[in-house]
């Protein structure tokens, strides 16, 4: 079941996990994985039923109430999400990830000051795994708030902690975050150096996921800094990952996304639209995957292609995102500005 789940083959995973559920296997990750698959399929109430089955038949713990809180955040029902969070706190007020859920809830209420307070609690934890989670989330919050000048320090702190803790996957993650920061601040050479460091860390971590992300980040830096020939070479690397790797759906998204970025920088906007439409078409109904990152790129391509109505549809989708807005807070924040421009033109 876990293998199929990691390959985004939800129906196959469920065949095995349904057997586990009927036998009341006591592993929380099994039930949260099933819930995630049902969200992916758009079966949001089935997602809730699986989590409640675990609560009623296996363990009424803080953890399961936090996942139920996430379920309600997916639906945009922040009041119910808050009630589940309160239940988790009542059951275990010292549970280590409580500040993260409190911070997330505040984030989706646009209370960024409270979000900052809670995420800083995580970042100051002694446990490096928790602290790294807090630092990564502080980075995401920084993009939303437009606090760009603070980001390099946050990501450098995360990178240093990951190295000290020997957590190579997290090291790759923070190198990629730094690459994104340097790209956005016009420092392409530094961004490329971070991509290379991310690749080395990902290989040392034996993480196919972070290796794909490092390659994609390198291609994006080349494309958006105007080095299209190198970007095309990286796209070929990603295409090989599609052909030779197991995680074909994710690799395909990254390949199509990079090809869209290349076409966009060539000012071939119709081609960019075609690629980004295909990427968005591969996104599931899971609110985690409905991310601002690719929706924003599709919207930009539509706008440049002279189709503001289609661009407006995508920007409005971004403003309605639930869980997917935080992964690219910069795009989420800018979508309101873009919509204002389109409304004025209309």
């Amino acid at each position: 079941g876990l293998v199929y789940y990691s390959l985004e083959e939800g129906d196959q995973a469920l065949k095995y996990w349904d057997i586990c559920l009927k036998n009341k296997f006591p592993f929380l990750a099994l039930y949260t994985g099933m819930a995630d698959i049902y969200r992916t399929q758009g079966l949001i109430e089935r997602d809730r039923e699986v989590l409640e089955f675990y609560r009623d038949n296996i363990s009424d713990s803080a953890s399961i109430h936090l996942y139920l809180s996430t379920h309600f955040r997916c639906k945009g029902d922040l009041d119910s999400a808050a009630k589940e969070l309160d239940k988790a706190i009542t059951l275990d007020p010292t549970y280590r990830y409580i500040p993260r859920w409190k911070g997330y809830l505040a984030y989706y209420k646009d209370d960024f000051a409270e979000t900052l307070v809670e995420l800083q609690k995580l970042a100051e934890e002694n446990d490096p795994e928790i602290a790294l989670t807090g630092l990564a989330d502080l980075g995401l919050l920084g993009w939303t708030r437009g606090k760009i000048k603070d980001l390099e320090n946050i990501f450098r702190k995360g990178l240093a902690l990951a190295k000290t803790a020997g957590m190579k996957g997290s090291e790759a993650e923070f190198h990629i975050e730094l690459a994104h920061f340097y790209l956005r601040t016009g420092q392409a050479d530094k961004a490329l150096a971070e991509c290379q460091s991310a690749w080395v860390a990902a290989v040392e971590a034996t993480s196919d996921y972070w290796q794909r992300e490092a390659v994609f980040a390198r291609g994006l830096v080349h494309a958006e800094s105007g080095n299209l020939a190198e970007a095309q070479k990286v796209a070929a690397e990603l295409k090989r990952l599609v052909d030779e790797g197991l995680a074909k759906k994710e690799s395909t998204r990254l390949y199509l996304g990079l090809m869209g970025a290349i076409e966009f920088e060539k000012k071939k906007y119709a081609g960019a639209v075609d690629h980004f439409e295909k990427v968005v078409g591969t996104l599931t109904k899971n609110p985690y995957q409905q991310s601002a990152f690719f929706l924003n790129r599709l919207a930009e391509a539509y706008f440049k292609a002279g189709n503001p109505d289609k661009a407006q549809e995508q920007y409005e989708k971004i403003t309605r995102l639930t869980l997917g807005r935080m992964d690219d807070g910069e795009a989420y924040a800018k979508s309101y500005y873009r919509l204002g421009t389109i409304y004025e033109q209309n």
Side-chain angles (χ1 to χ4, degrees):
L2 284 171
V3 171
Y4 283 118
Y5 176 65
S6 68
L7 298 177
E8 297 184 39
E9 298 292 344
D11 286 337
Q12 292 298 321
L14 287 174
K15 288 180 181 178
Y16 293 92
W17 284 350
D18 276 335
I19 297 170
C20 297
L21 182 143
K22 288 173 183 176
N23 287 279
K24 298 183 181 179
F25 278 33
F27 305 118
L28 177 59
L30 159 68
Y31 298 88
T32 58
M34 291 182 74
D36 189 60
I37 292 171
Y38 286 125
R39 280 199 300 268
T40 295
Q41 297 173 340
L43 301 173
I44 193 75
E45 291 309 313
R46 183 66 180 130
D47 151 23
R48 177 181 56 79
E49 289 169 5
V50 168
L51 296 174
E52 289 179 345
F53 179 90
Y54 180 91
R55 179 198 64 195
D56 297 339
N57 294 279
I58 310 298
S59 175
D60 186 12
S61 62
S63 297
I64 196 62
H65 286 287
L66 292 179
Y67 281 106
L68 281 163
S69 180
T70 299
H71 161 81
F72 287 113
R73 274 196 287 121
C74 286
K75 295 172 66 175
D77 183 353
L78 299 184
D79 289 338
S80 295
K83 289 176 183 177
E84 291 296 336
L85 176 56
D86 287 342
K87 291 175 185 177
I89 294 171
T90 299
L91 286 166
D92 188 353
T94 63
Y95 183 69
R96 60 184 187 167
Y97 281 113
I98 290 289
R100 190 183 202 197
W101 261 262
K102 290 175 72 174
Y104 281 2
L105 190 59
Y107 179 89
Y108 292 106
K109 292 180 177 179
D110 294 328
D111 185 349
F112 298 144
E114 181 63 21
T115 306
L116 182 62
V117 168
E118 295 298 335
L119 295 183
Q120 282 177 333
K121 291 178 185 176
L122 283 182
E124 292 166 4
E125 282 282 346
N126 292 325
D127 185 328
E129 181 181 346
I130 300 175
L132 287 168
T133 298
L135 288 164
D137 286 345
L138 282 172
L140 295 175
L141 177 63
W143 286 114
T144 304
R145 298 171 70 221
K147 301 292 185 180
I148 310 302
K149 62 182 178 60
D150 300 335
L151 291 175
E152 184 176 18
N153 181 54
I154 291 171
F155 296 143
R156 284 284 169 207
K157 189 174 180 179
L159 180 59
L161 179 57
K163 287 182 176 181
T164 300
M167 298 173 67
K168 291 296 180 179
S170 293
E171 187 179 329
E173 177 183 7
F174 280 99
H175 278 302
I176 290 171
E177 293 291 356
L178 279 164
H180 179 58
F181 167 79
Y182 288 131
L183 177 61
R184 286 290 169 267
T185 55
Q187 303 175 76
D189 289 343
K190 285 187 175 182
L192 286 172
E194 294 298 335
C195 291
Q196 179 57 33
S197 296
W199 171 260
V200 172
V203 170
E204 291 176 349
T206 62
S207 169
D208 291 341
Y209 173 82
W210 287 116
Q211 287 176 41
R212 289 191 296 271
E213 291 293 325
V215 173
F216 176 68
R218 176 159 52 90
L220 206 57
V221 171
H222 281 309
E224 295 190 3
S225 60
N227 194 344
L228 299 179
E230 286 301 315
Q232 198 72 53
K233 291 178 184 177
V234 178
E237 289 182 48
L238 282 173
K239 184 64 168 64
R240 282 196 296 274
L241 291 177
V242 174
D243 295 337
E244 299 171 6
L246 292 175
K248 293 188 182 298
K249 291 182 180 180
E250 184 190 348
S251 298
T252 298
R253 272 194 291 275
L254 297 180
Y255 168 71
L256 292 171
L258 180 54
M259 288 302 300
I262 292 170
E263 292 292 283
F264 188 91
E265 295 301 325
K266 287 179 177 179
K267 296 182 169 42
K268 295 182 177 179
Y269 300 120
V273 165
D274 182 58
H275 286 296
F276 288 135
E277 281 183 336
K278 289 176 181 175
V279 175
V280 171
T282 70
L283 301 179
T284 69
K285 296 178 181 178
N286 192 328
Y288 274 116
Q289 207 176 81
Q290 287 289 321
S291 75
F293 184 82
F294 285 121
L295 291 174
N296 175 64
R297 280 161 171 73
L298 177 57
E300 293 285 304
Y302 275 135
F303 190 80
K304 290 288 189 179
N307 197 334
D309 291 340
K310 286 284 190 180
Q312 179 178 330
E313 288 178 14
Q314 298 304 315
Y315 287 129
E316 287 175 345
K317 274 186 187 178
I318 293 172
T319 65
R320 294 193 299 268
L321 290 175
T322 55
L323 304 191
R325 79 171 68 158
M326 196 173 183
D327 77 320
D328 192 341
E330 183 185 29
Y332 172 71
K334 285 183 176 179
S335 65
Y336 288 95
Y337 170 78
R338 299 294 195 201
L339 281 171
T341 301
I342 293 171
Y343 294 153
E344 282 184 352
Q345 291 177 350
N346 291 340

